Amino acid sequence: MALDTAFSFKTYLESPDPAIYQIQTHAAGPAGELPLTDQMLRNWASGDLFGLSQNAGMGWEPALTDGKQFLILSTSGGMRNDDGTPVALGYHTGHWEVGLLVRAAAEELKRHHIVPFAGACTDPCDGRTQGTTGMMDSLAFRNDAAIVLRRLIRSLPRRRAVMGIGTCDKGLPAMMMALAGMRDLPCILVPGGVTLPPTDGEDAGKFQSIGARYTHGLVTLKQAAELGCRTCATAGGGCQFLGTAATSQVVGEALGLSLIHSALSPSGQPIWLDMARRSAGALMHMETSGIKSCDILTDRAIRNAMVVHAAFGGSTNLLMHIPAIAHAAGLTRPTAADWIAINRKTPRLVDVLPNGPVGHPTVRVFLAGAVPEVMLHLRELALIDEDCLTVAGESWGTLLDAWKDSDRRRRTRAVLEDEGIDPETVIMSPAAARSMGLTSTLTFPKGNLAPHGSVIKSTAIDPSVVDSDGVYRITGPARVFTRETAAIAAVKRGDIKPGDVILLICCGPLGSGMEEIYELTSALRHLPWGKHVACITDARFSGVSTGACIGHVGPEALAGGPIGKILDGDKIRIVIDRKNLTGSIDLAGAGGVELTAEAAARLLESRPPRPDLSAHPSLPDDTRLWAAMQDAGGGAWGGCVYDTNSICERLAGKP
């Protein structure tokens, strides 16, 4: 239908509908009486009393307005009709359906005479902002959202318990940080689940390389259009791969904040809604039993989450989110040394996108048993602490005993078996995982380019470019870029060749808010020769990134890191031992001359920084402020948090 584009200011002043002027100026108000008592009127704060008036004004039965108040917070976005069709779109499928979880939980609370409140702080989509300046707000948003969510909790003074519902890359970590900060309240986390993969098509991770593949003639325009239309095969949930969204759900459950077997549930389905109702029941039990979030979140629970992360082969972004959750809970933040130790001890047991070897979608991992199934194997290896308390009011040991013989375990695994998939090939025993060649998840290379360290998901290096001894090796010319757009343009033009080492700098916190560079890594993954190209960056990666991609390089280029001194054509040597989880990234030659380690160190020391080093011109002031504050709180390796004491000391001029 053609739009009427004729403009007149009267269009916005006058209306053709005379009924709009039938204006009501007073109302009778709700019938009944508030349940006030002498004690309440004498001792309650005026805000508490006025709150009861507002409860009645919104339609709650006046006599019941003084019931226990439970708060449900979510990352809900968009606006849906009752039939699910859109009135206004959300940023992503991950928050499109979570309002249904809010409703299911609230109805269960109301059925038990609890007064439920609902609030929301919606979240952006990292997939939607890949390759755009919107990515510069992504990581900074997490801290802001956690602050807003905590403020919402504190702004309901009579709340007795809190439920947090979230799904995706930044909203869910922010929700966990907010709940962790409410140490003296009963808190429970409800993960928003996952979307289904298309019956015939591509998952959301692969589709994000469509532009590069089209440019190189690997797909037609029609194929691209058809594939993109059905990539998100269902309306709600996080992506179909074990990226940051799915990994965050797994970590939340492993922390004990969510009910057993809740992570990765298929969005919109009965088993997903049932999770919300059961979570409401668990929260009521926590409140009456006096179980608080500080009883759940302990240093031992943080370690459990790190072990489960390693066993799943989770997103490297959790290296920032788990320390941030620990910081919010007042716990010890894990260090790089802690991550290294855990990853060397913990086998990867899950075959899931993007790691492989088969690469099952996340819904299959849920059906195979997800977190409790993995923890059963980890328990046999004595790698988890069974005594950690969970929101069910029971320890992990008790829950795993119940899970092992449960009807739920048998029936969900049977769904996979009916589709011809053996659950034991999705979540494997340690012996089966070894026989399939699964290696542990993360390696933390150092070297003269990363004196403070870096990280690579070494499981995601293409096995065909790994030597028979399990070591990935490449020595190649540096191709240096200060902007992701320039790097992806070079890939699309064909300027990047097999054997090149891309260095993408000025993309850390100070340069661009530590953006994700999935547009680049996805292109390399899905181009036939991409596995023969390595990437080193002070940025971070999407959880679905694969290949020889090394990120979090510290110090970042704009903080004086040696990565900011590399010139085009310099020889870069990368060595990643996937079995022993050791690695290095080094300048190995310059001007056609090979360099010893000592000579390379002297050259880097004597070289000035590149003259083109600069923050992105579109970097928002908000993100610049976030970068400065998180730097004072320990930087990326400290979780990119706001450490109030450190910031105050710097403002006061203390060293």
Side-chain angles (χ1 to χ4, degrees):
M1 185 176 76
L3 293 176
D4 182 4
T5 57
F7 174 81
S8 167
F9 79 91
K10 288 187 177 181
T11 303
Y12 304 100
L13 175 63
E14 306 292 356
S15 172
D17 182 5
I20 69 169
Y21 298 109
Q22 298 173 11
I23 300 170
Q24 183 176 331
T25 60
H26 55 83
E33 297 180 349
L34 295 179
L36 298 178
T37 65
D38 176 78
Q39 182 272 336
M40 292 164 68
L41 290 169
R42 291 182 184 278
N43 299 314
W44 277 27
S46 63
D48 291 336
L49 295 169
F50 179 54
L52 299 185
S53 296
Q54 294 200 85
N55 296 350
M58 288 184 280
W60 206 260
E61 172 64 36
L64 303 178
T65 54
D66 67 336
K68 288 182 180 180
Q69 298 180 2
F70 279 32
L71 175 59
I72 305 171
L73 289 175
S74 78
T75 56
S76 180
M79 183 175 291
R80 298 159 42 93
N81 288 308
D82 289 342
D83 64 359
T85 56
V87 177
L89 292 172
Y91 286 76
H92 54 97
T93 60
H95 63 210
W96 178 244
E97 289 185 333
V98 297
L100 302 177
L101 293 174
V102 174
R103 172 173 289 186
E107 289 172 344
E108 183 69 9
L109 293 172
K110 185 177 180 181
R111 193 169 70 85
H112 288 83
H113 310 296
I114 302 293
V115 182
F117 286 74
C121 176
T122 197
D123 55 349
C125 175
D126 280 4
R128 190 179 291 273
T129 59
Q130 291 294 341
T132 76
T133 55
M135 181 53 70
M136 297 178 194
D137 285 295
S138 171
L139 187 52
F141 169 86
R142 183 206 65 178
N143 289 22
D144 296 341
I147 291 171
V148 169
L149 291 165
R150 284 195 295 267
R151 291 192 188 280
L152 286 172
I153 294 169
R154 293 191 294 264
S155 296
L156 189 66
R158 300 194 69 81
R159 75 278 187 256
R160 300 283 289 269
V162 182
M163 174 183 289
I165 303 175
T167 304
C168 282
D169 291 28
K170 299 304 175 296
L172 184 50
M175 188 68 75
M176 288 191 277
M177 290 166 64
L179 298 182
M182 298 295 107
R183 303 170 194 175
D184 294 324
L185 276 175
C187 296
I188 196 167
L189 180 72
V190 179
V194 298
T195 190
L196 299 185
T199 303
D200 179 20
E202 295 182 352
D203 68 87
K206 184 174 183 179
F207 181 74
Q208 290 180 56
S209 68
I210 197 71
R213 286 185 286 143
Y214 173 76
T215 302
H216 284 269
L218 299 177
V219 294
T220 67
L221 181 60
K222 181 175 176 57
Q223 286 172 329
E226 291 176 347
L227 289 169
C229 184
R230 57 179 181 264
T231 288
C232 298
T234 49
C239 292
Q240 308 104 325
F241 47 79
L242 193 75
T244 306
T247 306
S248 295
Q249 294 185 38
V250 165
V251 162
E253 185 176 334
L255 285 168
L257 278 176
S258 301
L259 286 184
I260 186 171
H261 200 226
S262 57
L264 313 183
S265 179
S267 181
Q269 299 192 34
I271 197 168
W272 176 81
L273 286 170
D274 176 71
M275 170 186 62
R277 289 187 286 267
R278 290 186 297 106
S279 295
L283 188 60
M284 288 185 282
H285 177 260
M286 290 177 70
E287 192 270 337
T288 57
S289 302
I291 300 173
K292 303 172 183 178
S293 69
C294 62
D295 300 318
I296 307 294
L297 292 174
T298 63
D299 287 328
R300 295 177 300 138
I302 294 291
R303 188 184 184 283
N304 273 352
M306 294 169 69
V307 170
V308 171
H309 173 276
F312 268 81
S315 164
T316 56
N317 278 320
L318 273 294
L319 270 69
M320 292 177 291
H321 299 325
I322 289 179
I325 295 164
H327 177 265
L331 304 172
T332 303
R333 282 182 274 178
T335 65
D338 296 324
W339 285 104
I340 292 170
I342 284 174
N343 274 271
R344 285 180 178 170
K345 292 179 181 177
T346 308
R348 181 165 66 97
L349 304 176
V350 183
D351 183 350
V352 61
L353 288 168
N355 297 331
V358 173
H360 295 284
T362 43
V363 67
R364 290 183 185 171
V365 179
F366 173 77
L367 294 171
V371 172
E373 194 70 21
V374 169
M375 291 184 81
L376 280 178
H377 293 302
L378 295 174
R379 179 167 71 168
E380 293 176 1
L381 297 173
L383 288 174
I384 61 165
D385 190 325
E386 294 184 70
D387 294 330
C388 286
L389 187 65
T390 73
V391 291
E394 301 287 351
S395 70
W396 266 117
T398 300
L399 292 181
L400 292 177
D401 287 341
W403 168 258
K404 189 173 183 180
D405 299 316
S406 68
D407 186 54
R408 183 185 182 94
R409 179 180 185 235
R410 179 183 61 80
R411 296 185 68 174
T412 53
R413 287 163 66 89
V415 175
L416 271 184
E417 292 166 346
D418 289 345
E419 294 187 357
I421 298 166
D422 183 355
E424 300 292 335
T425 64
V426 180
I427 297 176
M428 307 177 199
S429 68
R434 281 194 302 272
S435 69
M436 289 293 292
L438 272 66
T439 57
S440 294
T441 308
L442 301 178
T443 300
F444 298 84
K446 282 196 167 185
N448 60 36
L449 293 186
H452 291 178
S454 62
V455 65
I456 179 172
K457 188 190 280 189
S458 44
T459 55
I461 301 174
D462 192 305
S464 68
V465 297
V466 177
D467 294 339
S468 59
D469 59 356
V471 180
Y472 169 79
R473 300 175 177 90
I474 185 174
T475 300
R479 300 297 310 279
V480 186
F481 302 91
T482 61
R483 303 287 183 262
E484 186 191 17
T485 51
I488 192 65
V491 170
K492 287 183 176 181
R493 286 194 307 267
D495 293 348
I496 302 299
K497 307 298 182 185
D500 285 348
V501 178
I502 296 174
L503 269 74
L504 181 55
I505 59 177
C506 298
C507 296
L510 298 173
S512 65
M514 203 174 187
E515 61 188 304
E516 280 187 357
I517 59 163
Y518 184 60
E519 185 177 19
L520 177 60
T521 59
S522 66
L524 293 176
R525 179 189 181 190
H526 293 292
L527 293 173
W529 46 267
K531 63 185 178 181
H532 299 292
V533 175
C535 179
I536 299 174
T537 182
D538 50 10
R540 60 192 175 91
F541 297 122
S542 165
V544 72
S545 291
T546 59
C549 305
I550 300 170
H552 299 221
V553 169
E556 63 177 299
L558 288 173
I563 193 175
K565 297 181 177 183
I566 298 301
L567 306 177
D568 276 305
D570 284 348
K571 281 288 191 282
I572 306 300
R573 180 174 59 243
I574 301 173
V575 179
I576 306 294
D577 186 332
R578 300 207 313 168
K579 291 183 177 178
N580 297 309
L581 301 186
T582 59
S584 59
I585 52 174
D586 294 288
L587 172 66
V593 178
E594 291 189 13
L595 299 173
T596 64
E598 295 77 11
R602 288 195 300 269
L603 178 59
L604 285 171
E605 181 67 27
S606 64
R607 268 186 185 176
R610 292 173 58 97
D612 58 349
L613 299 185
S614 65
H616 196 288
S618 298
L619 185 68
D621 285 345
D622 299 332
T623 304
R624 288 179 58 211
L625 180 60
W626 163 82
M629 290 197 295
Q630 65 85 37
D631 184 61
W637 291 100
C640 292
V641 299
Y642 299 156
D643 188 292
T644 303
N645 291 336
S646 297
I647 293 169
C648 289
E649 287 175 2
R650 288 202 183 187
L651 290 173
K654 296 180 181 180

